[in-house]
Amino acid sequence: IVVLSCCCSGITGDDVETVAQTAAREVDARVIAVRSEGFGGDFRSGYEDAFRVLMDLMEPRGEAGIIRGTVNIIGAREGPTYTEWTQDLDEIERLVYAIGAKINGVLCGGCTVEQIRRAPSAELNASWCYDWGQKLGDLMEERFGVPYARTGQPYGLRATEEWIMGVAVPLGLEERARELVRQETAAVAREVETLRRCFEGKTALIEITEFPGPIRALSLASMAEEFGAHPIIVNFHPYTVKERLPSIKFLLGRGQNPEVILTRGLFSLGSFRSSSETEAEVEMIAAQYDDAIYLGSPLRQPGCPQMNMTTITGYPQYGYQGIRNMARLMRTGLEQASRPRSKLFRSVLYG
């Protein structure tokens, strides 16, 4: 049983931890408390605080032993609201099983209590998203001694291979993993050529400011550069820089340092995505380049070829399946670039 504190209990100072301890003595169940009042922190800090509490359910590694060839996927954010493309997890699971490893559980995204309990027995932790997984990986490594594969998001060929090898090498599955990479790379050769043709020599304007998160923008920038484009991230919101500093330092250490442009509309009150000022600024930025392509929200009308990277669900962007999907998306976006956008839709959004 998990007791969640709300704003009211937080304001009045209710001791939910003691309430949970008292309840545990009166019922035949484990009772834990998670401080979750909205004013107590942001989404990210609440996620990490909740994970710290769930770690109390985990059994020490020595008691259960290490399950060889087994990994935890950490950093998942599945819940009532749509916070991630769960289809990316399907591709990650496929790659893990393809190299001969197994998954204990996805922490904490739809896993069972039993999978949480035996999580320290996994041989390795691997991240769904380094940004969300790195803190959890550090916590479990410090407390239980579980190694953590520090890899970025598997966007494009290079990052996907790095993710696979980051998991395979510590598990002693390097040879099988390299064969998988060879086969999968050959299988997407046509799509890779499509991506090179679509990106080569272009300026890729990337705006992933809200869903599914700005770290995706950094991963897309890396992929765009891999295929020959000059990436520019538009509106990497300043408040995300501080909370994501460990992840940003990690990416900088891997050689990722794309150009970033912050528009004035970003600092306006309200949602900058629907701000007419920001829309005008994005259009102005796109007009400065003869070869611009836009990767981001379908709500924008930048006046250049545009790829929807934020609301198309059901199609993973991770791994080799992601390469297939994005090649199709890029090809369609370029082919349909001359089609007129709705003036009515624009007036509804931006006035």
Side-chain angles (χ1 to χ4, degrees):
I1 299 174
V2 180
V3 179
L4 302 176
S5 62
C6 64
C7 291
C8 295
S9 59
I11 291 171
T12 58
D14 290 348
D15 188 354
V16 293
E17 289 86 359
T18 299
V19 170
Q21 294 171 7
T22 301
R25 295 193 292 268
E26 299 177 1
V27 299
D28 186 21
R30 182 81 178 270
V31 184
I32 59 177
V34 177
R35 306 292 313 195
S36 55
E37 52 268 19
F39 61 84
D42 56 18
F43 183 97
R44 185 187 191 82
S45 62
Y47 180 85
E48 293 173 358
D49 289 345
F51 189 80
R52 284 188 178 90
V53 175
L54 290 177
M55 285 176 63
D56 291 337
L57 298 175
M58 296 180 181
E59 298 174 352
R61 204 176 196 198
E63 294 181 9
I66 300 174
I67 306 175
R68 298 296 177 187
T70 301
V71 302
N72 296 310
I73 303 299
I74 59 177
R77 298 182 297 156
E78 293 184 57
T81 57
Y82 205 69
T83 54
E84 281 288 359
W85 284 297
T86 55
Q87 291 76 18
D88 281 334
L89 177 60
D90 296 336
E91 177 68 355
I92 283 179
E93 290 179 336
R94 186 184 74 85
L95 295 175
V96 169
Y97 285 108
I99 64 173
K102 296 181 179 180
I103 296 174
N104 166 63
V106 180
L107 310 180
C108 293
C111 61
T112 66
V113 174
E114 181 58 32
Q115 288 171 335
I116 294 175
R117 286 198 182 105
R118 65 170 182 256
S121 299
E123 191 171 358
L124 184 72
N125 281 333
S127 65
W128 174 330
C129 167
Y130 180 83
D131 182 44
W132 288 92
Q134 59 89 17
K135 185 64 175 180
L136 314 188
D138 290 344
L139 289 171
M140 286 188 66
E141 191 166 29
E142 179 181 348
R143 183 166 174 179
F144 299 108
V146 184
Y148 173 43
R150 288 167 171 79
T151 54
Q153 294 176 316
Y155 270 77
L157 279 178
R158 185 173 57 215
T160 297
E161 181 176 352
E162 288 177 358
W163 196 95
I164 292 172
M165 300 311 298
V167 174
V169 172
L171 298 179
L173 300 171
E174 181 175 357
E175 183 176 345
R176 185 163 177 176
R178 293 204 181 280
E179 177 60 21
L180 173 69
V181 169
R182 187 191 66 78
Q183 293 176 358
E184 293 283 345
T185 300
V188 296
R190 185 174 60 180
E191 287 82 3
V192 168
E193 180 56 33
T194 296
L195 288 172
R196 291 195 192 281
R197 187 171 63 252
C198 293
F199 276 114
E200 190 74 45
K202 303 288 197 306
T203 299
L205 304 177
I206 302 168
E207 187 184 29
I208 315 282
T209 48
E210 297 177 356
F211 176 80
I215 292 298
R216 293 258 185 174
L218 293 171
S219 299
L220 273 170
S222 178
M223 187 194 77
E225 189 172 34
E226 176 185 2
F227 293 125
H230 171 62
I232 298 176
I233 296 177
V234 180
N235 288 339
F236 190 93
H237 204 295
Y239 88 84
T240 68
V241 173
K242 181 178 179 181
E243 65 177 5
R244 290 182 162 88
L245 197 56
S247 298
I248 293 173
K249 288 182 177 178
F250 167 77
L251 295 172
L252 288 172
R254 296 173 67 245
Q256 291 183 234
N257 190 18
E259 183 178 347
V260 177
I261 296 177
L262 302 182
T263 67
R264 291 181 60 185
L266 178 68
F267 301 94
S268 301
L269 293 176
S271 173
F272 60 82
R273 186 181 63 180
S274 60
S275 164
S276 59
E277 181 181 11
T278 304
E279 169 64 20
E281 289 171 322
V282 170
E283 292 179 31
M284 181 187 68
I285 293 169
Q288 295 178 22
Y289 302 94
D290 295 331
D291 55 357
I293 55 175
Y294 175 88
L295 289 74
S297 169
L299 303 183
R300 295 285 187 225
Q301 296 192 11
C304 64
Q306 179 173 3
M307 274 55 79
N308 176 9
M309 292 290 180
T310 62
T311 63
I312 293 182
T313 60
Y315 299 94
Q317 296 183 6
Y318 278 7
Y320 300 103
Q321 190 56 48
I323 289 174
R324 293 186 178 93
N325 291 331
M326 284 190 280
R328 182 171 62 251
L329 186 63
M330 292 290 294
R331 183 177 62 249
T332 302
L334 290 173
E335 290 173 352
Q336 304 296 327
S338 61
R339 295 183 62 180
R341 299 293 301 274
S342 169
K343 294 180 180 180
L344 175 61
F345 185 60
R346 178 188 177 89
S347 65
V348 169
L349 289 174
Y350 305 114

